[in-house]
Amino acid sequence: MNRMSWPAKLGMNILAWLIAVLMFFPIFWLLLTSFKTNALAASRTPAFFFSPTIAGYVNAIVDNAYVHYLINSCISAIGSTLICMALAIPAAYSMVFRRSKYTDSTLLWMLSTKMLPPVGVLIPIYIVYKDLHLLDSVWGLVLIFAAMNLPIVVWLLYTYFKDIPEAIIEAADIDGASLLTKLVRILVPLTLPGLLSTGLLAVVLAWNEAFWAINLTNVHGATLAVFVSGFKSARGQYWASMSAASVLSVLPILIAGWFTQRQLVRGLTFGAVK
Amino acid sequence: MAIVQLKDICKQFDGGEANAVDHFDLTTRDGEFVVLVGPSGCGKTTTMRMIAGLEEISKGELWIGDRNVDGIPAKDRDIAMVFQSYALYPHMSVRENMAFSLKLKKRPKAEITKAVNDAAEILGIQNLLDRKPKALSGGQRQRVALGRAIVRQPQVFLMDEPLSNLDAKMRVEMRAEIVKLHRKLGVTTFYVTHDQVEAMTMGQRIVVMRDGYIQQIDAPNALYERPVNMFVAGFIGTPSMNFLKARVDDASQRLIGEGFSIAMEKAHETALANHLGREVWAGVRPEHLDLVTDANAGTTDNQLTGTVEVIEPLGAVTIVQVRVGEHIVTAELDSHTSLAMGDPAALTCDSHKLHLFDAASEKTLLETSDSGKRTTGDAKTTTA
Amino acid sequence: MAHPNKQRSKQAAARLRSAALIGPAAVYLFIWMIVPLAMTVYYSFRRYNLIEPYIKGNAGFSNYANIITDPNFIAGIINTLILVVSCLVLTVMIGLAFAIVYNNDHVVGKNLLRTFAASPFFIMPVVTGLLWKNLMLNPSFGLLAALQRALGISPIAFLSKVPLASVIGIISWQWTPFAMLVLLASLSAIPEDIKEAAYLDGAGAWQTFRYIVLPQLGRSLYAVIMLETIFFLVIFGQIYVATSGGPGNASTNLPYYIYLQAFSSYDIGAASAGAVFAIILANIVAIFLVRMISANIREDS
């Protein structure tokens, strides 16, 4: 495509910048607001230049127990991802290297559970959690997040393992490798970048999850999603704090998200897009 | 080193109808180099994978040395395999690749180092030991794959089309290298290839397969001189043997077809006794055809006449395709030939080197060598 | 001799081994997804209220009858459909346009710019709701209000005057990057030489796009539409935060309706009946999607 005239090239570049700026602007504005005073945050004339304050952050962290929710978010996101990995690695290995006539349908069935609306299983899970005292518990979220992300993780690992030539696994067989050796010494090192980004994607999805967090927890086991949603009825006077809390909740994961763009597409499309 | 016995082995895949390998029967000599050759899908790779233990045997028995290895996992069969794709572990250095199996066997460090160094020296890859596979050329990877097999000092080497990913020049080089290696180590070797030149140049014995059946097991020359059927005859040798549908003329004692007439030899008479007046396939190799010129016109019999359709000068020889009646006959001629496209041409053949096959079963009508006689292709060829 | 029996037992053992590997994942999903699904269906036929435990017993179809006659449920279904279709149209068309821009090799720093453009997708839905509700759309202090005032228009109270349209806008902002990223991946997979061949055949930029690129994008577009439908059917966080389904039921979608039934009215039976509707709705799309994925998997293996 080396045949564009220079005005067309310039136009494309301007367009590309415009799109990026417009799409990102609300996030930028959130970031900006988080450094304002509460009064300035809710002024009728938008302020772009001001002397920044960290009062909003202090308020979010000190007065609103940000750290408690942060810890819960970390536990639920990382814990659920570890469960996913532990379940998905052997499953994907088996689907790729020990194929049977049931493999494809098992994989499809797993993917199809991701198409089930969460609201379709909310009520029984709520009731069972109530009986098991898992309501408002971060461990309850760990378990449900793992179930929520498992199909995506199985699918991604399946695609990564498929890229490993079968002959390498057979060579390892002949060399005398046990199943564990094959997984730990061959498969995991060979797919490490894929495994890491898959894990990161699972963390991102669990971190951002709101439906289960809001419905199953409120204080003890609550994650940052619940914490932030607590600001939903905040009037103008708390906007700086709200923005600071939001920034604290999304910034690490936004940056992680930037690095998982590819996996995200691959993981959320289940191979429907080739 | 060991004798490998495949006793009446069959392989049927899940859901497959026909056997992928059908009644494969072969006993190697100790230290023999056996080549399995045939077109793709003939079952040669499946056979090798059964020896390796990567595929289960559906029926039959497999012995390596004095052990029946049925049910014994690949790693305990005392075999080593060189894969077509080499299957080197990409995240390990050459040294680690070669040492992996010994490490898993928990051999002492010193022993592993020595084994790796010895193998590297044999293959001339000492200077590559610390590189990763992706930093190697195709030929170097090939050597590493061989090295990984050698360090284990197995009883049997299995090589699955190990040269097919190399360029032509490298292939010829590695061919000789593998033969030398085999001579040096004396390990019983199975070698799978679809390339009949590789088979002929490397194998002490060659197993020609088609559609899961063994067609013929023989030494290279016997295969060339006494193919048991038209498939083997056509598969071995380049360019391929010409097949002409000929009528056995009782009165003139000649094989006659449109555009050709060939005298029957003494040897043919018994072979053709039951085919008098009927049609047979006459096979003649391109290298056994000659051009009829003014100089030898008077002394030649057995002429095939037609028009030149294609001329391919290769330098040393010239390949000419001549339309003789309904057949296209390929001849390997002197490179000085002055033929041009469209010229009429007469070819002559050496009738001693003529092959004769049954018109229906396509099996040879001539004497075969002893080992060549036992072929299990019967069922297939008669039903085909 | 390998006897047939032995052969069979070997295969059985192999099957057992691979079942042991897949088993845990399959059982886990079964327990967390299929068992609750069956329970939801069961509850939908029960009288069951969390704060009135003395009400119990078989409900027959009365829960279904109740919600079908509930105007909020009807509104929920209609809102869900409007939301799904509008968001699909917006995200796919805008996403495709964005993808074309970021697939252009003449754009300097296209990967970085694309990353910024994709950012909304990584924002927590709850934060998305808050951010738009307050900082952007608030009629007094919001950025858009300021913009409208600057243009001499009196600011619109988006979330109370056009709640569903506002929610559609918010969700489209969040999901356009998804369509963009997927379509961008497909666009960049179209080999350059095909486009060059079209150029040599005399096709202009538009013709190349119309006759070469778009047809090859067909499958991806179809897939994006299916996938987004599945995801849009279950939108919750943004609505929960931005409008709470209101005013009235103006922006209540099916998931939010079920949430209200369960946790405001504590009517488990009715909520479950609503959930069964949600499952059916998702399955209509999922059938097509699964078929497509299945074909792709089989093609690969």
Side-chain angles (χ1 to χ4, degrees), chain C residues 83-291:
Chain C
L83 186 133
V84 168
V85 173
S86 314
C87 289
L88 273 179
V89 172
L90 287 171
T91 56
V92 171
M93 289 182 54
I94 301 173
L96 178 60
F98 287 8
I100 290 168
V101 171
Y102 290 121
N103 190 46
N104 193 302
D105 288 333
H106 296 297
V107 172
V108 181
K110 61 175 181 164
N111 288 339
L112 186 70
L113 291 174
R114 182 206 59 211
T115 299
F116 275 97
S119 296
F121 195 59
F122 304 105
I123 301 297
M124 206 180 266
V126 177
V127 170
T128 303
L130 276 184
L131 160 64
W132 280 89
K133 176 191 182 179
N134 296 320
L135 302 186
M136 294 288 135
L137 299 180
N138 184 291
S140 321
F141 313 119
L143 211 53
L144 283 182
L147 191 68
Q148 285 168 323
R149 276 195 298 270
L151 295 171
I153 316 165
S154 70
I156 307 163
F158 289 99
L159 288 169
S160 45
K161 286 289 175 319
V162 282
L164 191 58
S166 305
V167 167
I168 288 168
I170 294 170
I171 290 165
S172 298
W173 174 72
Q174 179 134 57
W175 278 87
T176 294
F178 175 76
M180 174 185 84
L181 289 175
V182 174
L183 295 173
L184 190 57
S186 306
L187 271 180
S188 59
I190 296 175
E192 200 60 25
D193 55 3
I194 294 184
K195 285 182 253 172
E196 283 170 354
Y199 176 65
L200 292 180
D201 282 342
W206 164 250
Q207 284 163 315
T208 306
F209 177 75
R210 169 68 189 79
Y211 296 107
I212 310 296
V213 176
L214 206 55
Q216 304 213 44
L217 228 47
R219 261 159 81 120
S220 299
L221 282 168
Y222 180 71
V224 169
I225 289 169
M226 295 288 137
L227 289 160
E228 286 198 346
T229 306
I230 297 276
F231 293 123
F232 290 158
L233 279 173
V234 302
I235 290 286
F236 179 81
Q238 295 94 332
I239 291 178
Y240 174 84
V241 170
T243 66
S244 300
N249 57 24
S251 63
T252 298
N253 69 346
L254 197 49
Y256 199 78
Y257 171 81
I258 296 162
Y259 160 79
L260 287 178
Q261 283 296 325
F263 300 117
S264 289
S265 316
Y266 299 104
D267 187 345
I268 296 303
S272 298
V276 170
F277 273 101
I279 293 162
I280 293 170
L281 215 54
N283 271 357
I284 294 171
V285 188
I287 286 170
F288 291 100
L289 192 54
V290 166
R291 198 176 293 170

Side-chain angles (χ1 to χ4, degrees), chain B residues 14 19 44 64 80 89 97 101 118-119 161 174 179 187 199 226 237-238 252 294 310 317 328 333 342 361 374:
Chain B
D14 284 351
N19 279 343
K44 55 190 190 297
I64 296 178
Y89 309 123
N97 260 286
S101 65
D118 289 353
E161 307 234 14
M174 285 308 294
V179 171
V187 176
R226 294 182 295 278
T238 34
S252 64
D294 295 341
V310 178
V317 292
I328 299 283
L333 303 178
S361 74
R374 52 150 316 285

Side-chain angles (χ1 to χ4, degrees), chain B residues 24-316:
Chain B
F24 193 107
D25 210 85
L26 171 72
T27 302
T28 70
R29 288 186 287 273
D30 194 3
E32 190 175 19
F33 197 112
V34 177
V35 175
L36 306 180
V37 68
S40 63
C42 72
K44 55 190 190 297
T45 294
T46 307
T47 305
M48 170 166 287
R49 290 170 60 85
M50 285 192 283
I51 302 173
L54 295 172
E55 262 348 309
E56 292 200 359
I57 297 168
S58 305
K59 225 181 98 199
E61 266 178 66
L62 175 62
W63 290 71
I64 296 178
D66 49 11
R67 276 197 310 166
N68 180 346
V69 295
D70 186 28
I72 295 179
K75 59 181 169 131
D76 300 326
R77 289 192 179 190
D78 211 359
I79 49 109
M81 184 155 168
V82 178
F83 289 83
Q84 181 172 5
S85 58
Y86 316 142
L88 300 177
Y89 309 123
H91 58 302
M92 298 184 193
S93 69
V94 168
R95 187 191 304 279
E96 289 166 329
N97 260 286
M98 288 165 68
F100 192 59
S101 65
L102 300 180
K103 220 150 125 193
L104 292 178
K105 281 190 194 135
K106 303 208 161 51
R107 292 283 168 73
K109 261 216 169 74
E111 184 193 325
I112 296 177
T113 311
K114 187 179 177 328
V116 170
N117 287 343
D118 289 353
E121 197 188 320
I122 292 174
L123 292 161
I125 50 172
Q126 302 99 310
N127 54 338
L128 305 177
L129 283 175
D130 294 315
R131 292 207 201 158
K132 291 272 175 72
K134 68 169 180 287
L136 302 178
S137 71
Q140 290 170 333
R141 284 180 207 181
Q142 175 63 65
R143 279 169 213 268
V144 175
L146 285 170
R148 188 168 67 175
I150 293 174
V151 289
R152 314 186 49 187
Q153 300 185 308
Q155 294 206 34
V156 181
F157 277 136
L158 302 171
M159 304 189 185
D160 184 9
E161 307 234 14
L163 304 183
S164 60
N165 286 344
L166 299 178
D167 63 45
K169 186 166 164 282
M170 202 65 216
R171 207 176 304 161
V172 175
E173 201 174 293
M174 285 308 294
R175 209 158 73 189
E177 191 109 358
I178 291 174
V179 171
K180 264 190 276 177
L181 195 66
H182 172 255
R183 206 173 299 147
K184 190 168 194 168
L185 302 173
V187 176
T188 309
T189 303
F190 280 88
Y191 186 103
V192 162
T193 179
H194 64 271
D195 179 352
Q196 58 95 12
V197 178
E198 244 170 58
M200 294 292 277
T201 50
M202 300 176 82
Q204 292 173 331
R205 259 200 307 170
I206 299 171
V207 181
V208 183
M209 296 182 72
R210 178 173 65 156
D211 296 339
Y213 292 88
I214 295 178
Q215 302 291 308
Q216 185 168 0
I217 305 177
D218 238 323
N221 282 335
L223 223 46
Y224 178 81
E225 282 157 17
R226 294 182 295 278
V228 297
N229 60 27
M230 282 172 71
F231 173 76
V232 176
F235 192 76
I236 302 293
T238 34
S240 281
M241 186 187 278
N242 297 297
F243 296 109
L244 303 157
K245 198 110 200 209
R247 195 168 49 77
V248 185
D249 191 69
D250 198 5
S252 64
Q253 291 284 295
R254 293 183 77 86
L255 293 154
I256 298 172
E258 191 186 340
F260 68 91
S261 164
I262 301 166
M264 273 162 60
E265 291 294 323
K266 261 272 171 299
H268 298 160
E269 279 171 25
T270 41
L272 294 174
N274 295 327
H275 293 78
L276 295 176
R278 293 174 29 201
E279 288 199 314
V280 295
W281 285 106
V284 55
R285 294 198 182 274
E287 54 270 38
H288 298 148
L289 283 165
D290 234 328
L291 195 63
V292 179
T293 59
D294 295 341
N296 62 8
T299 61
T300 53
D301 191 9
N302 306 336
Q303 288 202 359
L304 299 81
T305 52
T307 346
V308 176
E309 291 209 335
V310 178
I311 300 175
E312 297 173 327
L314 299 181

Side-chain angles (χ1 to χ4, degrees), chain A residues 180-264:
Chain A
L180 197 65
T181 309
K182 279 184 282 183
L183 285 177
V184 175
R185 311 260 307 253
I186 309 287
L187 219 46
V188 170
L190 280 182
T191 53
L192 199 58
L195 285 174
L196 288 178
S197 48
T198 302
L200 198 57
L201 174 65
V203 167
V204 170
L205 292 175
W207 187 280
N208 284 349
E209 210 291 324
F211 181 79
W212 291 109
I214 287 170
N215 283 312
L216 298 180
T217 65
N218 63 60
V219 181
H220 263 297
T223 61
L224 287 170
V226 180
F227 168 59
V228 174
S229 73
F231 283 93
K232 77 175 179 138
S233 1
R235 298 279 167 244
Q237 62 266 37
Y238 298 119
W239 281 10
S241 311
M242 177 198 81
S243 302
S246 298
V247 169
L248 285 171
S249 308
V250 301
L251 207 59
I253 235 57
L254 173 63
I255 292 164
W258 284 343
F259 293 102
T260 58
Q261 283 177 64
R262 248 169 246 284
Q263 280 63 43
L264 189 104

Side-chain angles (χ1 to χ4, degrees), chain B residues 334-346:
Chain B
D334 210 313
S335 56
H336 304 301
T337 177
S338 56
L339 285 175
M341 225 104 75
D343 282 357

